């Protein structure tokens, strides 16, 4: 079987789905690996690195797709990719099937088997294959570094001959994978950290990292399959009352709140931004899904009333080498799980196969 790795075509994307280190593993599964030229260039992996690892280089995407049984990319297929795909091929990438019904219809029409990386079930045995987790973890780290870079202040308390600097205050909305890594990173840099989430199980996790949990009275939300559900308008009002004091004192706010298959909830209104300190920074990690503040704009920095709102839609693309390494390991582990003796098993009794295979015959 032949497996092709495409160069990413989305604007601002710098990662690559498979790094040279995974080629040997893919060969043991029975794949001949083809890599589109320059696929790894922006993540610091050269064509030569792939060739040395045993891959063949294709001169463009259509050449890579035409000879493949399996095509791998990080982001959903472009129009051109779709045009090149043929009946019976297997496509592996994030497909965001709940948000992109037209794309799923197009794959189905083509007779392509679509494996959606972002549809991985949130069960322990799938953790090593979960691209949302691996990328969120790195994004949580990078969001704090980005916030620190945009602040006119440092994080730790510093006693100097010229006076004492008080520690920065960081407030984090959403304590999932990204939020937990953001808490840990901000703590390591010396900030005072507070966090809030609708899932009450996050309280203990937040406190175990040495941060304070801001608790919204009421029932909260039980995570379902690892995902939070949307909360009521009444709950969001209560949350505002709980966080407003911390918001008005915060130097850096990081928002990570996502709801599966829906727009992200607006957790910080314009009026709340006006309550914040001059010079404060918000890093909105949910901006690609609509944003957690009323003023966030994707891939722009908005300044309102002295508060900077930084919207970065693809944090992992800012750390493409590590992000690609983790993605590649996720994908080679996933393919190992799906295959036996050089063939796909297509075991629909298996939760991982059934959860990720979004188009099939
Ligand atoms: P996510 O990226 O879907 O959302 C980020 C966080 O935002 C979540 O914690 C969510 O509860 C929170 N949120 C949603 N609405 C909010 C609101 N109105 N106010 C405040 N916070 C809000 O979440 P995630 O990072 O994917 O993690 C969710 C859970 O799934 C975590 O407990 C994580 O450990 C678990 N998980 C399990 C696996 C696995 O077992 N394979 C993999 C990944 C994550």
């Amino acid at each position: 079987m032949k497996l092709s790795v495409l160069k990413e075509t989305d604007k601002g994307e710098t990662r690559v789905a498979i790094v040279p280190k995974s080629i040997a593993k893919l060969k043991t599964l029975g794949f001949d690996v083809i890599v589109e030229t320059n696929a790894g260039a922006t993540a610091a992996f050269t064509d030569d690195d792939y060739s040395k690892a045993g891959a063949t280089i294709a001169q463009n995407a259509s050449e890579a797709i035409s000879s493949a049984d399996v095509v791998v990319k990080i982001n959903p297929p472009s129009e051109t990719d779709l045009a090149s795909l043929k009946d019976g091929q297997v496509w592996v990438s994030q497909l965001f099937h709940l948000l992109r019904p037209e794309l799923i219809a197009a794959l189905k029409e083509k007779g392509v088997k679509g494996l959606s990386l972002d549809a991985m079930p949130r069960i322990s045995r799938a953790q090593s294959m979960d691209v949302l987790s691996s990328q969120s973890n790195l994004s949580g780290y990078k969001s704090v570094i980005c916030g620190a870079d945009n602040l006119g202040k440092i994080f730790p308390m510093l006693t100097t001959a010229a006076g004492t600097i008080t520690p920065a205050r960081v407030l984090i909305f959403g304590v999932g994978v990204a939020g937990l890594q953001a808490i840990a990173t901000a703590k390591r840099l010396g900030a005072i950290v507070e966090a809030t989430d609708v899932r009450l199980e996050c309280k203990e996790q937040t406190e175990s990292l040495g941060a304070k949990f801001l608790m919204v009275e009421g029932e909260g939300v039980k995570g379902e399959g690892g995902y939070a559900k949307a909360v009521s308008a009444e709950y969001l009002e209560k949350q505002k009352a709980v966080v407003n004091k911390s918001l008005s004192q915060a130097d850096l706010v990081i928002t990570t709140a996502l709801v599966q298959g829906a727009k992200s909830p607006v957790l910080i209104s314009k009026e709340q931004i006006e309550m914040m300190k001059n010079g404060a920074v918000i890093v909105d990690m949910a901006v690609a899904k609509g944003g957690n503040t009323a003023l966030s704009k994707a891939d722009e920095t908005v300044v309102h009333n002295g508060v900077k709102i930084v919207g970065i839609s693809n944090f992992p693309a800012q750390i493409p080498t590590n992000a690609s390494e983790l993605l590649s390991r996720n994908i080679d582990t996933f393919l190992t799980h799906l295959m036996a003796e050089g063939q796909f098993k297509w075991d629909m009794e298996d939760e991982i196969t059934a959860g990720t295979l979004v188009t099939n015959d």
Side-chain angles (χ1 to χ4, degrees):
M1 290 230 277
K2 291 200 164 95
L3 178 144
S4 287
V5 182
L6 299 188
K7 180 171 169 55
E8 297 298 317
T9 43
D10 279 15
K11 189 166 168 264
E13 186 57 84
T14 55
R15 297 170 294 169
V16 59
I18 296 291
V19 302
K21 203 174 163 198
S22 286
I23 307 280
K25 172 104 166 270
L26 293 172
K27 282 182 165 277
T28 64
L29 296 179
F31 285 118
D32 287 332
V33 183
I34 301 160
V35 178
E36 184 182 346
T37 187
N38 283 324
T42 47
F45 303 106
T46 63
D47 284 357
D48 204 32
D49 295 334
Y50 284 102
S51 299
K52 282 189 184 132
T56 314
I57 305 298
Q59 286 318 305
N60 52 51
S62 67
E63 183 188 322
I65 294 173
S66 68
S67 49
D69 299 290
V70 182
V71 184
V72 184
K73 200 172 182 179
I74 300 166
N75 293 297
S78 65
E79 288 296 322
T80 338
D81 297 339
L82 271 177
S84 306
L85 282 168
K86 295 183 304 243
D87 186 34
Q89 284 180 313
V90 178
W91 175 275
V92 184
S93 78
Q94 303 189 98
L95 290 170
F96 309 112
H97 62 294
L98 296 176
L99 300 167
R100 301 275 312 265
E102 83 300 340
L103 170 63
I104 302 309
L107 287 172
K108 187 178 147 199
E109 182 77 11
K110 283 264 175 182
V112 171
K113 282 184 190 296
L115 285 163
S116 185
L117 294 169
D118 56 294
M120 191 64 69
R122 269 110 196 244
I123 51 175
S124 5
R125 68 193 174 90
Q127 230 156 7
S128 54
M129 311 170 204
D130 188 342
V131 302
L132 294 182
S133 278
S134 72
Q135 305 302 290
S136 288
N137 194 344
L138 293 174
S139 301
Y141 168 88
K142 191 67 181 178
S143 69
V144 175
I145 304 302
C146 164
D149 212 22
N150 274 284
L151 265 181
K153 302 176 79 169
I154 63 165
F155 274 35
M157 187 175 108
L158 207 64
T159 307
T160 79
T164 299
I165 292 174
T166 55
R169 299 188 74 98
V170 176
L171 173 61
I172 294 169
F173 285 78
V175 189
V177 178
L180 281 171
Q181 185 58 259
I183 294 175
T185 306
K187 284 296 289 182
R188 280 199 292 267
L189 287 173
I192 296 172
V193 185
E194 294 177 314
T196 189
D197 198 296
V198 292
R199 294 180 303 119
L200 297 179
E201 63 257 39
C202 299
K203 180 174 188 295
E204 200 185 318
Q205 294 165 359
T206 301
E207 288 171 352
S208 75
L209 290 170
K212 183 177 169 197
F213 191 70
L214 302 176
M215 184 97 158
V216 180
E217 288 305 322
E219 285 187 4
V221 171
K222 273 240 168 296
E224 208 169 84
Y227 291 102
K229 285 215 213 103
V231 291
S232 65
E234 188 195 348
Y235 182 99
L236 288 176
E237 277 314 305
K238 275 196 203 161
Q239 186 183 48
K240 284 196 176 106
V242 171
V243 300
N244 276 352
K245 182 162 174 243
S246 303
L247 203 57
S248 66
Q249 296 175 337
D251 297 297
L252 171 62
V253 174
I254 294 181
T255 65
T256 77
L258 294 172
V259 173
Q260 192 193 25
K263 269 191 78 176
S264 47
V266 175
L267 304 180
I268 307 178
S269 64
K270 182 164 166 274
E271 292 69 33
Q272 284 176 297
I273 292 171
E274 286 165 2
M275 222 179 258
M276 292 176 66
K277 289 196 291 196
N278 191 11
V281 174
I282 302 177
V283 176
D284 189 346
M285 292 182 64
V287 77
K289 298 269 166 66
N292 286 147
T293 93
L295 302 181
S296 311
K297 288 214 170 102
D299 300 313
E300 280 184 38
T301 296
V302 176
V303 182
H304 181 75
N305 217 27
V307 177
K308 257 192 219 175
I309 304 135
V310 184
I312 293 179
S313 57
N314 188 350
F315 263 112
Q318 298 201 347
I319 24 176
T321 305
N322 289 150
S324 303
E325 284 164 350
L326 297 191
L327 266 171
S328 182
R329 174 57 83 82
N330 290 146
I331 296 169
D332 75 38
T333 307
F334 179 43
L335 289 168
T336 305
H337 174 80
L338 294 175
M339 304 205 41
E341 291 162 13
Q343 296 297 324
F344 281 93
K345 292 182 279 185
W346 302 125
D347 171 11
M348 298 309 285
E349 300 291 308
D350 166 48
E351 204 176 338
I352 295 174
T353 312
T356 51
L357 187 60
V358 295
T359 57
N360 184 25
D361 298 333

